Structure formats: C-alpha cells, structure tokens
Amino acid sequence: MHHSATTDATDRSDDNVVNTYQKALEVNLDATSFGSFAEIGAGQEVARWFLRVGAASGTVAKTISAYDKEVSDDLYGSGTRYVSGQRLKAMLDREWKSLVQQVGEARGKDTRLFAFADTIAARNFAGTNDCHGWIGVRFQDQPRAEASDILLHANLRDNANLLQQEAVGILGVNLLHALLNERAAPGDLPARMFDNLANDRLEIDQIVMRGRAFAGYDMRELHTALARDGRAEAVTLDGDGGAVAANEFLYKKAVVIVPLASDPRDDLSPEAIAACLETLRREVAGNPEVKDVIDVRLTVVDSNAPPPALGKGAAMMTQHRQLYRTTAFVRRYTQAPLRFAVPLPALIRIFDDVRYQHLEGRLLEGIARLFGSDVRVLAYPCPREELLHLLNTDLGRGWEVDGSGQWITADQLRPAPPLRHLYEYLLASGFLAAMPPG
C-alpha cells in the first residue's frame, strides 16, 4: 500500500525526523570525513539535511545539482540515460576526481574523502512515470586508502512527489551515516538504509559494491536478504547470477515464469521450458512492443533457509508464495505476454484457499489478480502415481483424476464443486492451458 500525501502529513512520527537529523549532525561533527554531493532530480534532498543541521563546513566540500540536460551532459558526458547506473558512475567519476584534485593534498592525510551522487526520477505532475533512481557513494574507509564504491537502485513507492523526495533524503543520510560513522558491515547495510523508512515507501532491488571496503563479500547473500526481508517486492538476477534492476530486466520483454518446486522432482524439464519459449516467440513475432522473450526461475526465499541454489539462467527471488503478486510485479515493467509454466502439483497449490485468506475476496480475488492482462498458466503433465499420492494429502483432498494413462494432464484433473466450475471455466477460456505429454 502506498502512502498518501494527506495521511503521511498527519500520521508521520516526528521521531523519524529527529533520528535523521541526529544522523546528519553526527556525520557533520565527525572531523575525519569530508566530501561532495551531486544530485539530479527530486531536489537536493540529501545535501539539504547536512546543510540544515549545522556544522556543515566540517563535512560538505560542495553541492551541485545539474538539472538541465545540456548542463548534465557537459559535466558527465552524453550517451547514457539520465536515470541509470551508467550516469551515476559518470557522476561519481567526475565528482571524485574533482574532489581529490581540490582538497586531496590539504585534507587527505587525516581525512576520509567521499563523493555522494544520485540521479532520481520522482513522480511527475501527471503521475505517469516510473519513479526510481540510482544512488551511490565513492569513499575511503581510511585516509589515503583506495576508494570503494557502493551503488544502489531504488524504486520510489510513495504516491506524492514531496514524499518521494523526503524518502530519498532519509535514505541518503542513512547510507552515509552507515558507511562513515557506523562503518557497518556489508550485510548490515540494508537494515541501516531502511532506518526510519517503512518497506512500502521504497524498494532497493540492486546493490553494487566494489573495492577494499567490501572485499570478499557474497553479493548473492545480500540480494537474497533484500528479497527475504521485504526490502524489494522481488530481486531479479541475470544468467550470471548478478542482480539487475527490474525496470531494465523486464522492460518490453515477454516472460515465462517457472516457479522452482520445493521438491526437485516436480521441476519442469529443460525441454518443456524450451518448447514454451519457442511457442511464445512465435506468438509475439513481429510485435514492436516486445524486444525479447525470456524464461525466469521464480524462487521463494525463506527466512530460515540458506541462499537458494538457482543454477544457470535468469531468476527472480521473492518472499511471497502467491503467484498473483508476481503478476503484479511483472506488470509494473512490461505489458507483453506473461506465462506461468507449472507442473500439476504446483497448479493444485494455486487453487489452495489457504493462500488467499488475507484477501477480502479470498481465492476468487487471488485468481482474478493472477490472470491479469495477457496472462496464462501452462500446466504440464504429471506421472499418475505421483499425482495420486498428492491427492491423498490435505492439499489434494477433493481433487479427482479422469483417465487411466501413465501421465495425467490438467484437463483430466478436477477439483470438487463449487471450485470445479471455476477450474473448468479457466480451462475452457484458455486462461489455463493443459499441456500434452511428451
């Protein structure tokens, strides 16, 4: 649920402001750190905190805001999108070089230098844009040390521009305080960055760490924690296992989602996934709105489980087991066809009413949300003996099987009434497709 400007103005606790104020002041009063701020979009919300709390001359070398595109290109080079990881890196390169040239000799012996930068697309007047941004710090963990970088991608989830600006300001103060004053361990940074920020105000779905301050740290573990702890609705990973911001990962792509089963025997075969991809490629051929077709392994990360073994290929990690939440997440970034490829045991779980107790409309609402615009579930056959075993459990109670073949397909499976009527409607209307054996 997003915040509204009216409720936040009245309900927001002053404790949040005080805490952020104290953090900014502690950074300013620490004589061992000194740096610059460069911000594009969403005001100069981070620098503003350090300028307003007092003692800024002890920390702030300069602040700059290159709002005009021509000015920004002149400073940081053209050829990259204005809100992108590439633009953020160019900003850090330029500002770090300038900082070291200007104050390195005078302050370098006793001071840890830092350059903070962000490039943000906050909510426009019409409310039609993707509200997100890139935030980064290049810093020394010791005076004269080789610099380290942290870059992160954030999605702004407040529904008012001013609230988004406020969230960026708090996030920036949290990040600098954690790096410079707390010297927080890499694994503790996500929690530190969300101090005084509820998870529904922003998401962090990609973090890049480079340099001696982060040497040897497992980034997969960090990104798993972002998904597990709800810091992001989902974290998307490329074929090499590196996190990629979802707005880049999913943009104009048709997607086949393959939920990973808790029992590897229930996983779909590579041949079945390849056939599903080929069918979808034929379907979208010639569509200028679809740039690519990808398959994505979906895994639920549990608070008690180790980082998942995802294997090769693109993946998506989330804390939510309900597939309708995956539909909503994918639809934030692409309107191209979306397919869920599932074996029959996973299909039966989709119709388990227990998964939808928190929704006002229960199972009916969950199913309606799952089958959004151009969404289909492709149900793959299951060996008869395996399925009959499942039907003897609580999950499978009331389901029946027609036919006597070795493999059971989705159109040979029936739940008990009244759910049967919904199931048969989904089959007949093509929302649910019974895939043949072989």
Side-chain angles (χ1 to χ4, degrees), residues 8-190:
D8 251 71
T10 54
D11 295 347
R12 191 170 58 248
S13 167
D14 287 342
D15 291 345
N16 294 358
V17 178
V18 170
N19 203 320
T20 306
Y21 183 103
Q22 290 172 337
K23 284 189 174 190
L25 184 57
E26 286 176 12
V27 173
N28 279 356
L29 292 175
D30 181 358
T32 69
S33 60
F34 192 71
S36 63
F37 295 80
E39 300 185 72
I40 301 176
Q44 287 190 276
E45 292 304 310
V46 179
R48 181 180 300 176
W49 273 107
F50 295 97
L51 294 173
R52 72 190 252 202
V53 299
S57 61
T59 295
V60 181
K62 74 170 182 181
T63 72
I64 185 171
S65 182
Y67 259 65
D68 181 78
K69 291 183 176 181
E70 283 72 24
V71 172
S72 181
D73 284 348
D74 182 62
L75 281 171
Y76 307 120
S78 58
T80 63
R81 287 174 293 123
Y82 292 96
V83 183
S84 67
Q86 295 94 328
R87 175 57 55 128
L88 177 64
K89 184 178 182 303
M91 294 171 71
L92 289 173
D93 288 345
R94 162 88 185 208
E95 298 305 328
W96 180 257
K97 181 179 179 181
S98 173
L99 181 71
V100 171
Q101 287 177 343
Q102 292 167 349
V103 304
E105 284 300 315
R107 290 180 172 265
K109 186 177 70 166
D110 304 310
T111 307
R112 298 168 294 148
L113 300 178
F114 71 88
F116 176 93
D118 65 41
T119 175
I120 308 289
R123 188 182 191 272
N124 62 20
F125 185 77
T128 55
N129 62 319
D130 179 20
C131 303
H132 71 113
W134 285 88
I135 298 167
V137 185
R138 181 166 295 171
F139 68 103
Q140 295 170 321
D141 60 344
Q142 299 291 339
R144 296 202 186 282
E146 179 186 340
S148 300
D149 286 355
I150 180 167
L151 291 74
L152 57 95
H153 180 259
N155 298 307
L156 309 179
R157 304 297 286 159
D158 285 314
N159 63 10
N161 180 285
L162 287 177
L163 292 173
Q164 292 178 356
Q165 291 186 34
E166 177 191 71
V168 170
I170 295 172
L171 174 61
V173 172
N174 285 342
L175 179 58
L176 281 171
H177 189 270
L179 294 172
L180 301 175
N181 289 59
E182 300 174 62
R183 301 178 187 243
D188 295 332
L189 283 173

Side-chain angles (χ1 to χ4, degrees), residues 1-4 7 157-159 199-201 325:
M1 187 179 80
H2 297 177
H3 286 59
S4 68
T7 57
R157 304 297 286 159
D158 285 314
N159 63 10
N199 281 357
D200 64 350
R201 295 200 64 184
R325 296 194 68 136

Side-chain angles (χ1 to χ4, degrees), residues 78-406:
S78 58
T80 63
R81 287 174 293 123
Y82 292 96
V83 183
S84 67
Q86 295 94 328
R87 175 57 55 128
L88 177 64
K89 184 178 182 303
M91 294 171 71
L92 289 173
D93 288 345
R94 162 88 185 208
E95 298 305 328
W96 180 257
K97 181 179 179 181
S98 173
L99 181 71
V100 171
Q101 287 177 343
Q102 292 167 349
V103 304
E105 284 300 315
R107 290 180 172 265
K109 186 177 70 166
D110 304 310
T111 307
R112 298 168 294 148
L113 300 178
F114 71 88
F116 176 93
D118 65 41
T119 175
I120 308 289
R123 188 182 191 272
N124 62 20
F125 185 77
T128 55
N129 62 319
D130 179 20
C131 303
H132 71 113
W134 285 88
I135 298 167
V137 185
R138 181 166 295 171
F139 68 103
Q140 295 170 321
D141 60 344
Q142 299 291 339
R144 296 202 186 282
E146 179 186 340
S148 300
D149 286 355
I150 180 167
L151 291 74
L152 57 95
H153 180 259
N155 298 307
L156 309 179
R157 304 297 286 159
D158 285 314
N159 63 10
N161 180 285
L162 287 177
L163 292 173
Q164 292 178 356
Q165 291 186 34
E166 177 191 71
V168 170
I170 295 172
L171 174 61
V173 172
N174 285 342
L175 179 58
L176 281 171
H177 189 270
L179 294 172
L180 301 175
N181 289 59
E182 300 174 62
R183 301 178 187 243
D188 295 332
L189 283 173
R192 297 290 186 273
M193 288 189 282
F194 276 85
D195 279 351
N196 311 307
L197 285 170
N199 281 357
D200 64 350
R201 295 200 64 184
L202 57 79
E203 300 174 325
I204 296 175
D205 61 3
Q206 181 182 356
I207 299 178
V208 177
M209 294 177 175
R210 292 188 285 256
R212 53 173 265 157
F214 307 113
Y217 191 72
D218 182 0
M219 293 304 297
R220 174 65 69 88
E221 184 179 323
L222 186 74
H223 286 109
T224 300
L226 290 177
R228 182 193 66 220
D229 300 336
R231 310 298 186 192
E233 178 73 8
V235 173
T236 48
L237 308 172
D238 62 19
D240 297 323
V244 181
N247 63 339
E248 297 178 10
F249 182 79
L250 295 171
Y251 181 65
K252 287 195 173 183
K253 293 190 174 90
V255 183
V256 175
I257 298 286
V258 185
L260 289 181
S262 54
D263 185 343
R265 293 175 299 179
D266 290 340
D267 283 337
L268 293 182
S269 69
E271 293 77 17
I273 298 170
C276 183
L277 281 169
E278 186 55 37
T279 300
L280 191 52
R281 285 193 185 97
R282 289 197 300 268
E283 184 181 335
V284 302
N287 185 341
E289 293 301 306
V290 179
K291 290 186 173 182
D292 197 6
V293 177
I294 60 171
D295 63 297
V296 180
R297 274 68 171 170
L298 176 69
T299 187
V300 176
V301 286
D302 186 88
S303 58
N304 300 315
L310 296 173
K312 293 187 176 180
M316 182 185 299
M317 298 187 294
T318 179
Q319 66 172 166
H320 304 294
R321 298 185 180 277
Q322 300 88 355
L323 293 185
Y324 74 81
R325 296 194 68 136
T326 305
T327 293
F329 178 76
V330 172
R331 282 290 172 257
R332 280 160 57 175
Y333 305 111
T334 178
Q335 299 306 311
L338 170 60
R339 304 290 181 259
F340 289 92
V342 301
L344 292 191
L347 178 67
I348 291 174
R349 290 185 182 92
I350 289 175
F351 290 92
D352 182 8
D353 187 62
V354 172
R355 296 196 169 206
Y356 309 104
Q357 298 294 313
H358 58 290
L359 296 178
E360 189 174 352
R362 307 287 282 274
L363 181 141
L364 201 59
E365 181 179 347
I367 295 298
R369 290 192 189 186
L370 169 62
F371 291 102
S373 172
D374 207 353
V375 180
R376 304 284 184 269
V377 170
L378 312 180
Y380 284 80
C382 178
R384 182 182 188 82
E385 291 304 315
E386 184 180 331
L387 191 63
L388 290 177
H389 175 74
L390 180 64
L391 298 191
N392 287 324
T393 67
D394 287 342
L395 178 64
R397 185 169 291 119
W399 288 74
E400 300 172 357
V401 171
D402 298 332
S404 56
Q406 180 183 355

